[in-house]
Amino acid sequence: MQRFATRLVLSFLIVFATAASALAGPATDTLSTSVDRIITLLSDPAYKVSDTRPAMRAKLIAVIGEIFDMKELSRRALGPEWNKFTPEQQERFVTAFGRLLENTYLDKIESYTDEKVQYLKEQDLGSDKAEVATKVVGKGKEIPISYRLMDRSGWKVYDVVIEGVSLVQNYRSQFGQILMNESPDALITKISGKNT
């Protein structure tokens, strides 16, 4: 009888795990694959060695670059102001803003210490967009993080909402304030200055 109960529980767990992954959706699958690759890099002992760390960091930046759509994130961070930038200014802005995000958040990513990422649900936002709700659990804390992704020949992140605060909205507010009084070139110069 106990054997039967054990098998029954195992069967339910397998069915539940299969159903959970089936409900995850393609955006969640793409995101979780990238997060797994990032965690693998951060967990590699070579990341802690000063001689190999620069090469490992370059790999980390490349993996992050594969999942984020920096042009879309930049366009949304500027909002309607994006259309006031020339194509050349847009390109320079995307590069400068990408470096700003890299410099701002890379240290936080690198401070990873065995926290677990739980994928809670995927919501269809229409027009090839989805939001993936996750929770980072560790050290007695739970941090809700939602990723907004767009499918353009593959799912890419265009916004991150951490504890209810949108990265895009936060920067749009800051950039909007600057652009009320200054030119696109001045904004790009300010952002580039923060990167040095």
Side-chain angles (χ1 to χ4, degrees), residues 1 23 29 47 52 61 91 96 107 109 115 121-122 129 135 140 144 154 164 172 177-178 180 189 192:
M1 184 68 173
L23 293 173
D29 292 342
Y47 210 97
T52 53
I61 291 167
E91 193 174 309
D107 287 340
I109 292 168
E115 290 86 356
K121 69 177 180 175
E122 180 175 317
K129 294 187 192 94
K135 184 167 49 175
R172 185 182 298 173
Q177 293 284 343
I178 294 168
M180 282 169 51
T189 300
S192 298

Side-chain angles (χ1 to χ4, degrees), residues 11 75 112 140 174-175 177 195:
S11 298
R75 188 183 70 75
Y112 167 83
Q174 292 177 47
F175 296 154
Q177 293 284 343
N195 292 333

Side-chain angles (χ1 to χ4, degrees), residues 3-13:
R3 230 179 186 176
F4 175 77
T6 304
R7 286 184 181 159
L8 186 63
V9 169
L10 285 173
S11 298
F12 278 124
L13 287 175

Side-chain angles (χ1 to χ4, degrees), residues 46-77:
Y47 210 97
K48 311 288 186 265
V49 179
S50 59
D51 291 345
T52 53
R53 186 176 175 118
M56 295 298 288
R57 190 175 233 213
K59 286 181 185 177
L60 178 67
I61 291 167
V63 171
I64 292 169
E66 289 172 14
I67 187 65
F68 280 85
D69 184 337
M70 273 313 302
K71 186 171 183 179
E72 185 65 23
L73 205 153
S74 298
R75 188 183 70 75
R76 287 172 181 267

Side-chain angles (χ1 to χ4, degrees), residues 104-159:
T104 304
Y105 294 102
L106 202 55
D107 287 340
K108 290 180 172 114
I109 292 168
E110 289 176 329
S111 67
Y112 167 83
T113 53
D114 296 329
E115 290 86 356
K116 301 294 177 222
V117 179
Q118 296 175 356
Y119 297 90
L120 306 176
K121 69 177 180 175
E122 180 175 317
Q123 180 181 355
D124 183 0
L125 301 177
S127 301
D128 295 323
K129 294 187 192 94
E131 183 168 318
V132 178
T134 70
K135 184 167 49 175
V136 177
V137 181
K139 296 182 183 174
K141 289 191 287 186
E142 292 184 354
I143 303 168
I145 303 175
S146 292
Y147 297 86
R148 294 178 180 153
L149 299 95
M150 183 179 289
D151 187 7
R152 289 192 176 157
S153 303
W155 289 96
K156 300 265 188 184
V157 175
Y158 67 85
D159 193 11

Side-chain angles (χ1 to χ4, degrees), residues 16-62:
F16 177 75
T18 305
S21 65
L23 293 173
T28 302
D29 292 342
T30 299
L31 182 65
S32 66
T33 298
S34 294
V35 169
D36 289 348
R37 288 175 61 203
I38 290 166
I39 290 170
T40 299
L41 281 168
L42 293 172
S43 302
D44 190 322
Y47 210 97
K48 311 288 186 265
V49 179
S50 59
D51 291 345
T52 53
R53 186 176 175 118
M56 295 298 288
R57 190 175 233 213
K59 286 181 185 177
L60 178 67
I61 291 167

